[in-house]
């Protein structure tokens, strides 16, 4: 899968896990606004992976077609927060079920998390 990881999820551990699984991973410069990140992803056929659901959901809803959006929602209980292993595992589960092309899809990765 071709993925643009938003700065709010940009960690060496997550990047390494996704690359090891065979994904093409890109990031954007820090402090780039959401609309510019979204535009870059669409221009380069990248799925956006973010923990900023509200802003990116509205961008995706206003863009038809788009290359896909993977959302990580914060949870009120710290022990149930998605860790990098959870996020990488959820991305793999999505790929197993839906494949590498997520055109038009907006997916909540929290619901694709495997049981611990």
């Amino acid at each position: 899968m071709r993925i643009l990881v938003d700065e709010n999820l940009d960690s060496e551990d997550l990047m390494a896990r996704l690359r090891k699984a065979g994904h093409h991973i890109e990031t954007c410069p820090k402090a780039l606004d959401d609309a510019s990140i979204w535009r870059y992803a669409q221009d380069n056929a990248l799925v956006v992976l973010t923990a900023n659901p509200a802003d990116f959901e509205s961008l995706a809803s206003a863009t038809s077609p788009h290359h896909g959006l993977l959302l990580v929602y914060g949870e009120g209980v710290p022990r149930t927060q998605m860790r990098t292993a959870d996020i990488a595992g959820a991305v793999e589960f999505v790929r197993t079920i839906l494949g590498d092309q997520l055109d038009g899809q907006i997916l909540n990765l929290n619901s694709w998390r495997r049981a611990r």
Side-chain angles (χ1 to χ4, degrees), residues 1-6 14-28 40-49 67 70 91-92 95 99-102:
M1 192 179 305
R2 294 177 44 81
I3 303 171
L4 176 72
V5 178
D6 192 13
L14 180 59
M15 305 301 220
R17 288 172 185 272
L18 293 172
R19 285 187 178 113
K20 184 176 180 183
H23 299 284
H24 169 89
I25 303 300
E26 293 188 30
T27 60
C28 280
Y40 178 85
Q42 300 319 298
D43 290 347
N44 293 281
L46 298 163
V47 173
V48 174
L49 172 60
H67 294 288
L70 298 173
V91 170
E92 278 309 293
R95 180 163 69 171
D100 284 330
Q101 301 300 314
L102 299 180

Side-chain angles (χ1 to χ4, degrees), residues 34 52-60:
D34 295 339
N52 181 4
D55 292 339
F56 282 95
E57 279 182 302
S58 64
L59 289 165

Side-chain angles (χ1 to χ4, degrees), residues 82-101:
M82 287 187 79
R83 296 176 290 208
T84 56
D86 299 322
I87 295 167
V91 170
E92 278 309 293
F93 190 31
V94 165
R95 180 163 69 171
T96 299
I97 303 300
L98 301 177
D100 284 330
Q101 301 300 314

Side-chain angles (χ1 to χ4, degrees), residues 66-84:
H66 62 80
H67 294 288
L69 179 58
L70 298 173
L71 302 170
V72 176
Y73 285 86
E75 297 172 351
V77 181
R79 67 179 172 76
T80 62
Q81 288 285 108
M82 287 187 79
R83 296 176 290 208
T84 56

